[in-house]
Amino acid sequence: MNTTKMATSSETTLKKTHVGNKKKPIKRYWHGTETNETGKKQTPKPTKPRGGKRGLTSLPLKRHWHGTEKNKSNGKKQRNHSERTPKQTQPSGEKRALTSLPSKRSWQGTKKNETDGEKQRNDNEQTSTQTEPSGGEKRLISSKEDPFPGTAPIPKNSLKKFKRGEKQEIPRDAWHKVKCAIADSEAVDDMAQKQNARFDLLLPEDAGFLEGDEDEDTCTISQEDIANAVDITSGAKYFNLALSQFGPYRLDYSKNGRHLLLGGRRGHVTCLEWQSKQLMCEMNVMETVNDVKWLHTEAMFAVAQKKWLYIYDNKGIELHCIRKFNDVLRMQFLPYHFLLATASATGFLQYLDVSVGKEVAATCTKAGRLDVMAQNPYNAIIHLGHSNGTVTLWSPNVKEPLVKMLCHQGGVRSVAVDKTGTYMVTSGMDKKLKVYDIRSYKPLQSYFLPAGASCLSLSQKGLLCAATGDTVQVYRDVWGTPVTKPYMAHRLKGSVWGLHFCPFEDILGVGHGEGFTSMVVPGAGEPNFDGYDANPYRSSKQMQEWEVKALLEKVQPELITLDPSMLSKVDKSTWEQRHQDRVKALGYDPLAKGKFIPRFKKKGRSSSGNVERRKRQVAHEDQRDEIRKTVEENMERAKERKQYKKEQMAAAAGQKSALDRFRK
């Protein structure tokens, strides 16, 4: 039986029959043929490839510069390597040559043979062909440096706008895991601050204000002129609802500014989508309505009626009647805590958790009738105005007022707090309007209004609206420089009973004795909204998902404090006081180190000598701490003595004596 083997460029093909049953080794592609002195061909000894099986060999990887060889015929032998002539190269598309050409670069040319049938030279004699630049031109790679290296700088004002407080000082004796956790949290805060500052450039909308011509006051421009000058959509936002039969009216806008809730003094309650004028529900509760307030979504709202507090849905169906909350006059809803705060005519301040329907806290203010109420959006503190001219700040965790301020000589008529929690505006019976800095509890500005302000409201951009009788005046930048004239003014048909700026819109809603009026106030609303918090264009599905997420992230009422940054700090003094109270109650210190009692060890290790040795060792460890403390105290005393001596020597050197006149 004849065998024929395919050979590579470094071996020849042998045609030889087997002799007997002798098994010949498998020939590898790297094996050549050797001849003895007698001229006979000798087969080299087989070598086993590393890591492979006996009969499995792998051909070498073929490179793009290697050619392919073909035998002239299946029965003929190939010539020796020294006498071999190169064959033609196989095209890249054939199956025989399984090679992949290298990826062509822009600066590399293409190799061209002179003729299609010309053979390539040998590997050792082969010379590189001349490359031609593509396009006929040489490509130059610039070696210039980047004129603006690194990331783009961030304006300092933007960074200051999104700053989340001062960095904490890490104690030296803190645990290493605590240090790592603090460092990681600070790194995350820094990254969030920089990202917010960068993304602030992507908010193209800006608040625009009303500007008049030369020698023209903007307060003289009427609402009709503004509605005729703006576009049709904005002009349609100025309208009047004639509801003289059941007025005056209280009002409230939903958190995203899409829905309006009206409550008439004589029992008329209605809610509508005010931009499209689509009525959601309308009813008459047949008793006095003191206040109305939207809850966490536009699906439910609360109505403070003459006797008790009622909860309705947006279809007008009564959901709850809460009889614990009686004689309610004013209400405020805390959206992140799901708390409805109510102030009653009996002087009680009560908190209702609307997520579970339970009363969280009830505090007797001991200040009489409570008909002036506002909330601080920054820290969820409730501000109450009293008839003796004071304003008190309340939290559901404390039964006493956190802060008590004397603001007016007469009774307080209205209170408003800006969204940053920095400024508070109050108006009183003394016909004064005052601006306070809540951080220092000091007055910044004081204005005198001839008729006094009965209602106050602050917009998202800091505009102040004050209602005096049937006139509504809007002021701009009241806590900066003193204001001499209003920014806008508008006169209504009846006396004003409720004011509220619409979120994310340049709209002011006014409830008065003759119904409701929607005014256009340029520059009042925030032009850029947060889609994750209050999205005016969210669908019903998004609203459901937001409600579930808000319930999961609900802030507990125990976390309401004047300074929210104190929640991340440890109150050491309080802990020490609790420890002292515990020691007094128990009669001993439970954290004190007790007397050392050696454990009993077996196999003769609890002999009297070993026990005494262990006691002595523990006693020495306790003595080391005492010795260390005494050494430190002695070193401090020595430093004080040296300092005292230096001061005495300096004082003695500075004194003059009678013999100083003889010194040269």
Side-chain angles (χ1 to χ4, degrees), residues 177-468:
K177 288 188 177 181
V178 176
K179 293 181 180 179
C180 294
I182 295 175
D184 293 343
S185 64
E186 290 180 352
V188 170
D189 291 344
D190 292 342
M191 182 185 67
Q193 180 186 3
K194 292 179 181 179
Q195 286 183 351
N196 290 333
R198 291 186 185 280
F199 295 157
D200 195 24
L201 299 175
L202 302 178
L203 301 176
E205 301 294 336
D206 194 8
F209 291 93
L210 187 64
E211 295 182 1
D213 297 334
E214 294 183 0
D215 299 333
E216 182 183 8
D217 292 337
T218 56
C219 63
T220 60
I221 302 175
S222 64
Q223 288 291 312
E224 289 78 6
D225 296 339
I226 296 175
N228 295 330
V230 298
D231 57 282
I232 298 175
T233 306
S234 300
K237 296 178 181 178
Y238 167 65
F239 60 91
N240 292 286
L241 297 178
L243 303 170
S244 59
Q245 188 177 358
F246 302 104
Y249 279 84
R250 299 274 190 194
L251 73 146
D252 185 38
Y253 286 99
S254 60
K255 189 178 179 181
N256 57 6
R258 296 286 296 181
H259 300 83
L260 173 65
L261 179 63
L262 296 174
R265 179 76 173 174
R266 299 173 186 173
H268 180 227
V269 178
T270 179
C271 60
L272 68 155
E273 191 176 349
W274 66 272
Q275 292 188 7
S276 61
K277 313 299 188 296
Q278 182 179 359
L279 186 66
M280 299 173 65
C281 79
E282 186 177 14
M283 60 183 176
N284 197 311
V285 297
M286 304 303 292
E287 63 177 343
T288 304
V289 173
N290 295 321
D291 199 2
V292 291
K293 186 65 64 175
W294 285 108
L295 299 184
H296 56 284
T297 61
E298 55 270 12
M300 291 190 297
F301 59 88
V303 179
Q305 296 178 200
K306 181 179 180 181
K307 218 172 184 183
W308 297 309
L309 175 66
Y310 290 83
I311 306 295
Y312 298 91
D313 66 352
N314 55 5
K315 301 299 180 183
I317 301 174
E318 180 182 332
L319 300 178
H320 302 284
C321 175
I322 308 173
R323 300 188 179 185
K324 282 187 176 181
F325 293 72
N326 58 327
D327 300 328
V328 176
L329 296 179
R330 299 305 301 269
M331 295 185 296
Q332 289 291 332
F333 183 71
L334 310 178
Y336 301 106
H337 303 77
F338 284 80
L339 292 179
L340 179 65
T342 62
S344 65
T346 57
F348 274 86
L349 174 64
Q350 296 172 282
Y351 291 86
L352 174 67
D353 191 342
V354 299
S355 62
V356 295
K358 293 183 179 180
E359 184 183 15
V360 175
T363 305
C364 181
T365 60
K366 301 176 183 178
R369 181 184 177 90
L370 301 177
D371 57 351
V372 178
M373 187 180 188
Q375 68 157 314
N376 189 340
Y378 175 68
N379 53 15
I381 295 295
I382 296 297
H383 295 234
L384 296 178
H386 306 286
S387 58
N388 56 0
T390 60
V391 175
T392 54
L393 279 61
W394 296 86
S395 169
N397 307 316
V398 184
K399 297 299 182 181
E400 297 294 331
L402 302 175
V403 178
K404 194 172 183 179
M405 303 169 57
L406 179 60
C407 299
H408 296 275
Q409 295 179 358
V412 179
R413 300 183 67 183
S414 182
V415 179
V417 185
D418 74 323
K419 68 173 185 178
T420 61
T422 307
Y423 304 104
M424 180 182 67
V425 184
T426 62
S427 64
M429 297 294 291
D430 55 356
K431 301 181 181 181
K432 288 186 179 180
L433 188 146
K434 295 185 179 181
V435 182
Y436 287 87
D437 188 347
I438 305 178
R439 296 169 295 183
S440 59
Y441 307 107
K442 293 181 179 179
L444 298 177
Q445 303 291 341
S446 180
Y447 304 96
F448 178 79
L449 299 178
S454 59
C455 297
L456 297 176
S457 180
L458 282 168
S459 71
Q460 293 177 325
K461 301 301 290 184
L463 296 183
L464 173 65
C465 178
T468 57

Side-chain angles (χ1 to χ4, degrees), residues 374-636:
Q375 68 157 314
N376 189 340
Y378 175 68
N379 53 15
I381 295 295
I382 296 297
H383 295 234
L384 296 178
H386 306 286
S387 58
N388 56 0
T390 60
V391 175
T392 54
L393 279 61
W394 296 86
S395 169
N397 307 316
V398 184
K399 297 299 182 181
E400 297 294 331
L402 302 175
V403 178
K404 194 172 183 179
M405 303 169 57
L406 179 60
C407 299
H408 296 275
Q409 295 179 358
V412 179
R413 300 183 67 183
S414 182
V415 179
V417 185
D418 74 323
K419 68 173 185 178
T420 61
T422 307
Y423 304 104
M424 180 182 67
V425 184
T426 62
S427 64
M429 297 294 291
D430 55 356
K431 301 181 181 181
K432 288 186 179 180
L433 188 146
K434 295 185 179 181
V435 182
Y436 287 87
D437 188 347
I438 305 178
R439 296 169 295 183
S440 59
Y441 307 107
K442 293 181 179 179
L444 298 177
Q445 303 291 341
S446 180
Y447 304 96
F448 178 79
L449 299 178
S454 59
C455 297
L456 297 176
S457 180
L458 282 168
S459 71
Q460 293 177 325
K461 301 301 290 184
L463 296 183
L464 173 65
C465 178
T468 57
D470 60 348
T471 304
V472 175
Q473 296 179 346
V474 181
Y475 296 91
R476 183 178 175 184
D477 193 16
V478 292
W479 40 73
T481 57
V483 179
T484 57
K485 58 183 178 180
Y487 168 62
M488 289 184 65
H490 183 66
R491 191 164 187 174
L492 304 167
K493 295 181 180 180
S495 59
V496 178
W497 204 49
L499 287 174
H500 203 287
F501 278 98
C502 181
F504 310 108
E505 293 285 348
D506 293 342
I507 297 299
L508 172 64
V510 184
H512 49 85
E514 298 296 324
F516 171 78
T517 300
S518 177
M519 293 174 50
V520 179
V521 182
E526 175 66 38
N528 302 295
F529 61 88
D530 186 0
Y532 290 102
D533 186 21
N535 187 1
Y537 308 103
R538 65 187 177 191
S539 61
S540 59
K541 183 67 174 178
Q542 291 175 336
M543 189 266 290
Q544 293 173 4
E545 294 177 354
W546 173 87
E547 186 176 2
V548 173
K549 185 179 179 181
L551 284 169
L552 293 174
E553 296 178 351
K554 184 181 75 170
V555 183
Q556 297 300 322
E558 292 80 8
L559 302 180
I560 298 178
T561 58
L562 277 175
D563 188 6
S565 62
M566 295 295 293
L567 298 175
S568 60
K569 300 179 181 179
V570 179
D571 192 357
K572 294 183 179 179
S573 60
T574 305
W575 183 86
E576 292 176 356
Q577 183 65 30
R578 289 180 180 176
H579 179 64
Q580 292 178 3
D581 296 341
R582 189 180 179 188
V583 171
K584 290 180 180 179
L586 296 176
Y588 65 94
D589 190 358
L591 301 180
K593 196 171 183 181
K595 188 177 180 181
F596 175 70
I597 301 176
R599 290 189 305 169
F600 179 76
K601 295 184 178 181
K602 297 181 179 180
K603 295 185 179 179
R605 296 181 182 177
S606 288
S607 62
S608 58
N610 291 336
V611 171
E612 292 299 328
R613 193 179 300 110
R614 274 184 277 161
K615 289 182 179 180
R616 198 179 304 115
Q617 183 179 0
V618 174
H620 289 331
E621 291 179 357
D622 296 338
Q623 288 178 359
R624 288 192 196 114
D625 298 335
E626 296 179 0
I627 293 171
R628 189 181 297 109
K629 291 181 181 179
T630 54
V631 169
E632 291 177 356
E633 292 177 357
N634 293 335
M635 292 176 65
E636 291 179 358

